[in-house]
Amino acid sequence: MPVRDIITLPDPKLRLVSKPIERVDDDLRRLIDDMLATMYEAPGIGLAAIQIAEPVRLLVVDAAPKEGPRAPMSLINPEIVWSSDERNTYEEGCLSIPEYYEEVERPASVRVRYIDRDGKAQEQLAEGLLATVVQHELDHLNGVLFIDYLSKLKRDRVIKKFAKIARRDDGKGRL
Ligand code: NI
């Protein structure tokens, strides 16, 4: 389960719309295992395939409390089929926008439909932190980042900051 490199802002791949997955096979399960290893290593609580430069509709999450046992989930071709009117605010971060956190308001609960790693159709009601993580990761599959929910001023400021870091690094390694 090799840990993969996570791409960061301003990598244009983060703005791609990922393609649906047509077949759940061992290659895909290997990709899921790589993503889980990469997420736990980071450490993070969610990762979309595009964040390791794979433009397919796949995400992994583990929103379980840190003290408890791991609860890895992999969601293939996820779709939100219902969102609550009630909204919730969490301070969000993103492994592709390291060390930047801002509050984002989203529906408090969502019902998500997806295919699991065995190829079975599943539906789950996500609430609390899991609801936020699922929505944040699903946004990645559509090229949307959490900074898109901030004011233009804040968004421009963070994009500029990361562009500057990328220029300074001159493409060598990531911070
Ligand atoms: Ni993210």
Side-chain angles (χ1 to χ4, degrees), residues 45-62:
I45 57 174
L47 188 74
I50 191 59
Q51 293 182 274
I52 57 164
E54 301 277 358
V56 293
R57 301 188 81 79
L58 166 64
L59 48 95
V60 295
V61 303
D62 184 344

Side-chain angles (χ1 to χ4, degrees), residues 4 7 11-12 39 53 56-57 70-71 86 104 124 130 143 161 164:
R4 307 267 211 107
I7 61 172
D11 193 317
M39 178 185 79
V56 293
R57 301 188 81 79
R70 282 181 172 177
E86 192 199 336
V104 176
Q124 186 173 336
L130 181 62
K161 183 181 141 194
K164 209 163 142 186

Side-chain angles (χ1 to χ4, degrees), residues 1-6 33-34 37-39 41-42 52:
M1 290 200 287
V3 168
R4 307 267 211 107
D5 285 337
I6 296 175
D33 289 340
D34 285 359
T38 305
M39 178 185 79
E41 166 80 15
I52 57 164

Side-chain angles (χ1 to χ4, degrees), residues 52-106:
I52 57 164
E54 301 277 358
V56 293
R57 301 188 81 79
L58 166 64
L59 48 95
V60 295
V61 303
D62 184 344
K66 280 189 186 70
E67 319 78 65
R70 282 181 172 177
M73 280 177 72
S74 47
L75 292 81
I76 299 160
N77 297 339
E79 262 181 282
I80 287 170
V81 294
W82 173 83
S83 308
S84 64
D85 291 333
E86 192 199 336
R87 295 173 76 84
N88 217 341
T89 302
Y90 272 102
E91 189 174 68
E92 295 190 24
C94 179
L95 295 174
S96 294
I97 312 172
E99 286 163 45
Y100 182 77
Y101 304 92
E102 277 290 344
E103 287 194 337
V104 176
E105 191 193 285
R106 300 180 186 268

Side-chain angles (χ1 to χ4, degrees), residues 5-19 46-58 93-98 136-148 158-159 162-163 166 174:
D5 285 337
I6 296 175
I7 61 172
T8 54
L9 209 66
D11 193 317
K13 285 194 278 294
L14 289 169
R15 293 306 190 175
L16 291 176
V17 175
S18 294
K19 297 264 187 298
L47 188 74
I50 191 59
Q51 293 182 274
I52 57 164
E54 301 277 358
V56 293
R57 301 188 81 79
L58 166 64
C94 179
L95 295 174
S96 294
I97 312 172
H136 173 119
E137 301 310 330
L138 215 144
D139 273 351
H140 275 298
L141 306 185
N142 297 321
V144 174
L145 300 171
F146 84 94
I147 55 171
D148 298 342
V158 64
I159 288 171
F162 278 85
R174 54 179 274 266

